[in-house]
Amino acid sequence: MKLNVAYKEQFETRHIAPNEQDTESMLKIIGVASLAELIDQTVPKNIRLKKPMALPAAKSEYEYLNKLRQTASKNKVFKSYIGQGYYDVIVPAVIQRNILENPGWYTQYTPYQAEISQGRLQALLNFQTMVLDLTGMQIANASLLDEGTAAAEAMFMQYSLRKNAEAKSYFVSEEVFPQTIDILKTRAQPYGIKLIIGNHKTVALTDDLFGALVQYPAGHGEVYNYKAFADIAHQKNIKLTVVADLMSLALLTPPGEWGADIVVGTTQRFGIPMGFGGPHAAYFATKEEYKRSMPGRIIGVTIDKHENYALRMALQTREQHIRRDKATSNICTAQALLAIMAGMYATYHGAKGIKAIAERIHGLTVLLSTALAEFGYKQLNENYFDTLKYAVGDLTNPLHSESLNNEFNLNFDGEFITISLDETTRLHDIETIVKVFGKVKAKTLHDIDLESLAKNVESVIPTELQRTSSFLTHPVFNKHHSEHEMLRYIKSLEAKDLSLCHSMIALGSCTMKLNATTEMIPVTWPEFGGLHPFAPVHQTGGYMQIIAELNDWLSEITGFAAMSLQPNAGAQGEYAGLMVIRAYHQDRGDFNRNIALIPSSAHGTNPASAAMAGMKIIVTKCDEKGNIDVADLRAKAEEHSANLSCLMVTYPSTHGVFEESIIEICEIIHQHGGQVYMDGANMNAQVGLTSPASIGADVCHLNLHKTFCIPHGGGGPGMGPIGAAAHLVPYLPGHSVVDMGNEKSISAVSAAPWGSASILLISHAYIAMMGAKGLTNATKYAILNANYIKARLESHYPVLYAGANGHCAHEMILDCRSFKTFGIEVTDIAKRLMDYGFHAPTVSFPVAGTLMVEPTESEPKHELDRFCDAMIAIRNEIADVESGLSDKIDNPLKNAPHTVAVITDNDWDKPYTRQKAAFPLPYVALNKFWPSVGRVNDTYGDRTLICSCPPIEEYEFDVLV
């Protein structure tokens, strides 16, 4: 027997689930002879790639991790005192292992189906409560992307709320972090908002200002008393946003107590690694009167149909998918996973622990200031929390050299040096810093008595700015301080949520595929997690290699000249792409080009992003088959030829079809001087078969949390990098702190230069381990799996749209509208699916009353069959209602989901059996997932809006904590 000593495991076979036998069986059901025949009949020949993608050979999981270890070693993790919004942290191990590294948390979807998302919703409600307690505000959302974009959202909310329509100016303190000012500039331009950047102590607040923004503590560390400034602003009807360091608010008077209208910031200091820039959860808190203008998701308390405590996302009519171009924000992805971690950090430490950590940070900062004063260094901040500021003149270069020799980084900002301490700082770190500062003045530690100084440290925060109000008083923050209690609390919430650990999540447009363990492992390596995004470039060689390789690979996959990896969400990528198009037109003198053509089937973020980019939206029609109406598009392109900026198009279409006319559509736009922006939401049906550039697009964003395997995290993180054709590359986003290399770059769209850099590792791993052949096969199998479901279900549910040969792309739309005539809504089907152990497909998008199904390539045939069996069984239940066998009101669909409490209740008065309710198919009994609440009452929740943990006497204690 010959032995194959060259055998190498292929990751492709781990990622793509159907085996040869299953593939053959599925092809027979579809009615094609081979996978190649299916692809040929589905993807138009005129858009197919002429040659395979030029990507490195696929690595095995073992090979990849070994190689990545070498790459990681090129990152030099020095102790960081840079600050500027990014700080080293201690991630509680119980949170790292059981949330960050746990697929039961990171593979969940956004909690639109509340009944099977109660654990995550409770964790996010805890986050909101934490934010409200620390900021002193009245209502908070469930996170935003990062501190800079949260500040920009606040500015636009202030702009939307202004009473004086002529007010176009916005004051920004010059002591706000530079990356935040950069994003404010980006967001201000399309609306003609004039930023007044200056000193808050000397600026004249006039009637033409609609808002103001300050940082607390300020960018260089000074803690100002802004109360008088806030009072004057309010006298002028100017709303005030405060960018506040959440950790400092354990010691400082909350902004809500001295006049803030909006408070924003990052929760990164609450146990989230720096990760070279992200992902981190920003927070946004404001007054209750502004709740309907607040961006992002809000978690609210309600009741279920049995009048039990329940949670769901509140006030969704504010959101972009409803309001489209009238939306106040285009936010689609939040940072749920990171918000959950930050909330759990507060839960684990409680008020006493958080205050102790803040006091240690402040105390060591005071000690350092006192010690350096002994060496003759004059500290410039009168009041401070964690950051010291020095003007050191000729000593700058020697201090820089000596700090690097001792493997720590300071923040060198023009003529100043700042030193920011954090949770990880200890007394021996102070000794090291003092030693370095002493050496450049020929002094040593022996010249001062550091030990005595440490015994006499007192706060320098003035009495009027010291916090006196309590925080984190709810029992949830006061019960779980031992690890056993914390572990059980985390697991109790996890058990209430359905994730990819339980079953497929066939969400159309959302691509819930395998998030492989090997792809996830490096994210928590200290070489990647411990790097500050503004660290000197000679310390970031590993990241630079990853970013360069990913840029090359994604460029090859899309056919574009280059990528920007900065946008840290899909909608952020949309916005960035449109701003790049805008900059291109304006650089050519075409300032009038502001018309965006958008098909009626477009995702809600498309018109919202276009409006944010200052564009006027013209909607184009779709025909009865769901395709773009080419004649209507041509007519509107001709009508608006002189002012045409771009077309926003999704491919394959939002209806799940490869439109045959896509090249013609792109040519029409180009003939009239416009650019083609392609929404990359459906890129999972393109990779290796076609590409945005070959179709004719000029710029496209990629949802790395869809096609390229970054997990959805229960509603974030996401990544939305954009690829651009050569003529648009000079305009890709730049950054005010880190040189991105393009003179014509638009200003930043995200706070960090490379967005949420640490999770780029996931997509890097996926591409490296799949290779060109594996990625292409993934696309083919995504199309195969979708068409198999179509073939099994189309005799039970009408499939709305299909291509020329009757096939769908990677997803399909099941039409449920006819069931409404006898009282069954698409929502009833979604809720009933929970009883079968499944999360519903996308409900009522892009067509109301439908389900959009996308299985992905990672699901095996038996899981597809389980889903199809469930859908067919539900169709039979609908038929029973239609025929009169089941009551129109009291039936399994209307009463779904059925909880264990309902099933085990002594009183069972339903006209169907408990078996029918809870175990409708044999497989369900083998591995039953129980929804933790009955159908949620959305109306009640919006009518009695509660967005923080309610007083304990109002609900059962163990439900909340």
Side-chain angles (χ1 to χ4, degrees):
M1 178 178 69
K2 289 187 177 181
L3 301 177
N4 181 6
V5 296
Y7 169 74
K8 181 175 80 172
E9 269 200 298
Q10 291 184 310
F11 174 72
E12 175 187 341
T13 63
R14 305 299 188 186
H15 178 83
I16 300 172
N19 58 33
E20 287 184 27
Q21 183 179 347
D22 288 342
T23 300
E24 186 176 335
S25 173
M26 291 158 72
L27 290 167
K28 282 183 180 177
I29 298 293
I30 295 169
V32 292
S34 66
L35 185 56
E37 181 181 334
L38 173 65
I39 299 304
D40 285 344
Q41 290 183 9
T42 303
V43 185
K45 286 184 170 50
N46 65 334
I47 66 167
R48 293 286 295 273
L49 296 179
K50 302 298 187 288
K51 57 182 181 179
M53 298 178 294
L55 295 171
K59 287 182 167 55
S60 71
E61 295 174 75
Y62 177 76
E63 288 172 332
Y64 178 77
L65 288 179
N66 277 345
K67 179 72 168 61
L68 193 66
R69 279 290 183 194
Q70 299 171 27
T71 305
S73 69
K74 297 177 184 178
N75 288 333
K76 306 304 177 186
V77 185
F78 286 14
K79 189 77 177 172
S80 176
Y81 302 112
I82 297 172
Q84 299 297 289
Y86 302 94
Y87 306 88
D88 206 358
V89 297
I90 300 169
V91 186
V94 66
I95 294 174
Q96 176 167 318
R97 173 63 58 88
N98 294 289
I99 296 180
L100 180 59
E101 298 175 346
N102 180 359
W105 283 95
Y106 65 68
T107 69
Q108 301 163 345
Y109 183 58
T110 307
Y112 287 114
Q113 295 295 335
E115 295 82 357
I116 49 176
S117 308
Q118 290 294 299
R120 162 178 19 139
L121 287 165
Q122 183 63 60
L124 291 172
L125 190 75
N126 296 349
F127 171 85
Q128 290 177 182
T129 305
M130 171 193 80
V131 169
L132 293 178
D133 279 9
L134 285 164
T135 61
M137 300 305 287
Q138 296 168 347
I139 189 167
N141 69 17
S143 79
L144 292 178
L145 299 175
D146 58 38
E147 180 169 290
T149 51
E153 294 289 344
M155 177 183 71
F156 188 65
M157 188 174 115
Q158 289 165 287
Y159 179 77
S160 302
L161 291 169
R162 73 197 194 285
K163 290 186 171 64
N164 177 10
E166 302 302 314
K168 283 276 193 174
S169 296
Y170 189 71
F171 172 75
V172 180
S173 167
E174 62 194 3
E175 296 187 69
V176 169
F177 290 142
Q179 67 269 24
T180 300
I181 294 177
D182 209 20
I183 296 171
L184 291 171
K185 288 177 180 177
T186 311
R187 292 286 287 270
Q189 289 170 8
Y191 286 91
I193 295 171
K194 180 183 179 183
L195 296 185
I196 309 296
I197 300 172
N199 188 326
H200 79 276
K201 291 182 285 188
T202 59
V203 67
L205 297 178
T206 55
D207 293 338
D208 63 337
L209 287 164
F210 65 84
L213 183 143
V214 297
Q215 188 124 12
Y216 182 67
H220 283 155
E222 184 76 38
V223 177
Y224 293 110
N225 188 338
Y226 290 113
K227 188 176 188 313
F229 179 79
D231 290 342
I232 295 170
H234 291 146
Q235 289 167 16
K236 301 280 187 179
N237 289 317
I238 297 169
K239 291 180 173 59
L240 176 63
T241 290
V242 178
V243 185
D245 177 345
L246 209 61
M247 182 63 77
S248 76
L249 298 185
L251 303 185
L252 299 180
T253 305
E257 294 180 14
W258 49 254
D261 297 292
I262 305 169
V263 186
V264 300
T266 178
T267 61
Q268 185 263 317
R269 297 190 87 153
F270 279 46
I272 314 298
M274 288 187 287
F276 204 46
H280 309 135
Y283 70 86
F284 190 111
T286 187
K287 297 178 178 178
E288 188 154 348
E289 63 193 277
Y290 307 137
K291 63 191 176 188
R292 294 190 182 276
S293 299
M294 185 167 65
R297 299 171 187 144
I298 305 172
I299 308 308
V301 177
T302 187
I303 56 175
D304 71 1
K305 69 176 296 181
H306 312 295
E307 299 192 356
N308 295 317
Y309 171 91
L311 300 166
R312 92 289 180 236
M313 292 200 294
L315 299 178
Q316 290 189 56
T317 52
R318 304 166 305 111
E319 295 188 19
Q320 41 71 26
H321 64 277
I322 303 291
R323 299 191 68 195
R324 300 174 73 82
D325 58 304
K326 301 296 190 298
T328 56
S329 171
N330 73 334
I331 288 171
C332 189
T333 305
Q335 298 282 26
L337 183 68
L338 296 314
I340 288 166
M341 287 179 63
M344 289 296 185
Y345 179 93
T347 302
Y348 193 45
H349 287 294
K352 188 182 292 186
I354 297 294
K355 188 174 182 182
I357 292 167
E359 286 179 345
R360 183 177 66 215
I361 294 169
H362 181 52
L364 289 174
T365 308
V366 175
L367 174 63
L368 178 58
S369 177
T370 306
L372 294 184
E374 296 277 310
F375 285 166
Y377 289 95
K378 182 173 174 53
Q379 207 277 118
L380 301 178
N381 289 332
E382 181 181 356
N383 307 316
Y384 54 86
F385 166 62
D386 66 351
T387 299
L388 306 176
K389 178 181 177 183
Y390 296 93
V392 292
D394 294 342
L395 298 181
T396 299
N397 287 336
L399 281 170
H400 190 218
S401 297
E402 279 303 315
S403 63
L404 294 179
N405 289 341
N406 285 269
E407 298 192 346
F408 66 80
N409 294 319
L410 304 174
N411 180 45
F412 294 86
D413 187 0
E415 60 187 289
F416 300 111
I417 291 178
T418 62
I419 311 169
S420 295
L421 306 189
D422 57 47
E423 178 187 11
T424 68
T425 308
R426 296 295 185 269
L427 190 57
H428 64 82
D429 298 312
I430 303 301
E431 291 177 351
T432 302
I433 298 170
V434 172
K435 182 177 71 174
V436 165
F437 273 71
K439 183 174 181 180
V440 300
K441 284 196 171 186
K443 296 179 182 291
T444 70
L445 278 173
H446 297 296
D447 296 324
I448 59 171
D449 187 351
L450 194 61
E451 190 173 320
S452 295
L453 293 176
K455 292 177 181 177
N456 298 291
V457 172
E458 293 189 9
S459 175
V460 299
I461 300 170
T463 304
E464 66 271 18
L465 287 178
Q466 290 182 15
R467 181 172 195 134
T468 58
S469 55
S470 58
F471 61 96
L472 302 183
T473 58
H474 194 277
V476 76
F477 301 111
N478 292 279
K479 193 184 176 188
H480 309 291
H481 302 326
S482 76
E483 183 167 330
H484 237 153
E485 290 171 309
M486 190 66 187
L487 173 65
R488 287 167 180 160
Y489 181 59
I490 291 171
K491 288 296 180 182
S492 72
L493 295 187
E494 179 191 339
K496 296 179 179 181
D497 282 17
L498 188 141
S499 71
L500 285 174
C501 298
H502 300 95
S503 57
M504 70 183 287
I505 302 178
L507 286 152
S509 190
C510 293
T511 317
M512 300 287 289
K513 62 166 75 176
L514 171 72
N515 313 121
T517 306
T518 298
E519 295 160 4
M520 300 298 297
I521 284 173
V523 174
T524 55
W525 289 358
E527 297 92 335
F528 294 117
L531 239 61
H532 193 288
F534 306 154
V537 67
H538 67 270
Q539 296 170 21
T540 64
Y543 262 118
M544 291 301 100
Q545 179 178 330
I546 295 289
I547 287 165
E549 289 174 351
L550 199 52
N551 176 74
D552 290 345
W553 299 347
L554 292 175
S555 296
E556 174 67 17
I557 289 166
T558 59
F560 287 127
M563 307 293 299
S564 168
L565 302 177
Q566 188 178 117
N568 52 5
Q572 196 89 312
E574 284 180 21
Y575 176 68
L578 294 174
M579 289 297 286
V580 165
I581 290 172
R582 180 178 183 271
Y584 166 75
H585 285 311
Q586 292 190 352
D587 192 40
R588 292 157 54 90
D590 292 335
F591 291 89
N592 55 303
R593 288 193 175 274
N594 67 343
I595 298 290
L597 301 182
I598 302 181
S600 59
S601 62
H603 192 284
T605 55
N606 285 185
S609 296
M612 285 171 53
M615 295 182 183
K616 181 181 177 183
I617 294 133
I618 303 294
V619 177
T620 66
K621 298 176 184 176
C622 290
D623 62 23
E624 68 280 356
K625 294 182 179 179
N627 299 317
I628 292 173
D629 186 324
V630 178
D632 183 63
L633 177 84
R634 188 187 303 277
K636 285 174 177 167
E638 290 174 355
E639 179 185 353
H640 300 285
S641 181
N643 300 311
L644 181 61
S645 175
C646 65
L647 166 73
M648 297 189 77
V649 63
T650 301
Y651 200 77
S653 74
T654 311
H655 293 142
V657 176
F658 283 98
E659 297 187 46
E660 303 277 344
S661 58
I662 187 64
I663 290 179
E664 180 187 2
I665 287 168
C666 293
E667 288 174 348
I668 290 169
I669 300 303
H670 290 145
Q671 287 165 11
H672 293 279
Q675 299 287 289
V676 176
Y677 171 85
M678 183 169 287
D679 186 319
N682 292 341
M683 193 68 192
N684 209 48
Q686 284 196 45
V687 178
L689 301 180
T690 184
S691 73
S694 66
I695 291 165
D698 300 287
V699 62
C700 173
H701 90 265
L702 302 177
N703 296 99
L704 298 189
H705 53 291
K706 297 181 182 182
T707 307
F708 296 97
C709 291
I710 292 175
H712 281 67
M719 278 291 275
I722 56 173
H727 63 285
L728 295 180
V729 168
Y731 309 96
L732 292 174
H735 198 272
S736 60
V737 180
V738 176
D739 184 7
M740 306 297 284
N742 287 334
E743 290 182 10
K744 294 183 177 182
S745 289
I746 63 170
S747 45
V749 295
S750 299
W754 292 280
S756 298
S758 67
I759 57 173
L760 293 174
L761 295 162
I762 300 166
S763 298
H764 183 273
Y766 173 63
I767 297 171
M769 294 190 295
M770 290 291 278
K773 177 176 170 288
L775 291 172
T776 305
N777 284 338
T779 308
K780 293 176 180 179
Y781 273 88
I783 293 171
L784 171 69
N785 281 1
N787 279 282
Y788 176 67
I789 289 180
K790 178 178 179 292
R792 280 210 61 192
L793 294 184
E794 60 189 347
S795 62
H796 304 276
Y797 298 86
V799 176
L800 268 188
Y801 307 110
N805 294 307
H807 303 308
C808 63
H810 64 311
E811 61 189 4
M812 80 218 71
I813 298 173
L814 304 181
D815 193 353
C816 306
R817 292 174 294 184
S818 65
F819 309 146
K820 196 168 185 174
T821 58
F822 40 93
I824 299 299
E825 305 281 350
V826 68
T827 301
D828 299 324
I829 300 172
K831 303 309 179 188
R832 182 59 172 150
L833 268 169
M834 296 176 190
D835 290 327
Y836 287 81
F838 284 103
H839 191 294
T842 303
V843 176
S844 287
F845 174 80
V847 180
T850 66
L851 293 171
M852 184 159 64
V853 183
E854 180 184 354
T856 86
E857 69 276 11
S858 296
E859 297 300 342
K861 179 179 178 294
H862 66 80
E863 184 71 359
L864 303 180
D865 284 331
R866 279 204 324 128
F867 175 76
C868 291
D869 291 346
M871 290 297 295
I872 292 167
I874 289 172
R875 181 63 184 90
N876 291 335
E877 292 174 356
I878 295 170
D880 288 344
V881 176
E882 184 178 10
S883 67
L885 284 176
S886 291
D887 185 83
K888 283 192 174 183
I889 303 299
D890 198 3
N891 61 64
L893 288 112
K894 287 294 183 185
N895 292 326
H898 297 80
T899 65
V900 67
V902 168
I903 296 299
T904 58
D905 196 288
N906 289 334
D907 296 321
W908 180 262
D909 58 356
K910 306 299 179 193
Y912 51 93
T913 66
R914 298 176 199 256
Q915 177 82 17
K916 174 79 169 174
F919 306 104
L921 286 175
Y923 76 76
V924 179
L926 298 175
N927 190 22
K928 175 70 177 176
F929 179 87
W930 289 99
S932 56
V933 297
R935 192 171 305 194
V936 163
N937 188 328
D938 291 310
T939 305
Y940 176 91
D942 281 349
R943 195 171 61 244
T944 57
L945 188 66
I946 301 171
C947 297
S948 62
C949 295
I952 212 64
E953 62 271 12
E954 293 187 18
Y955 294 94
E956 286 295 325
F957 183 85
D958 59 352
V959 170
L960 287 171
V961 299

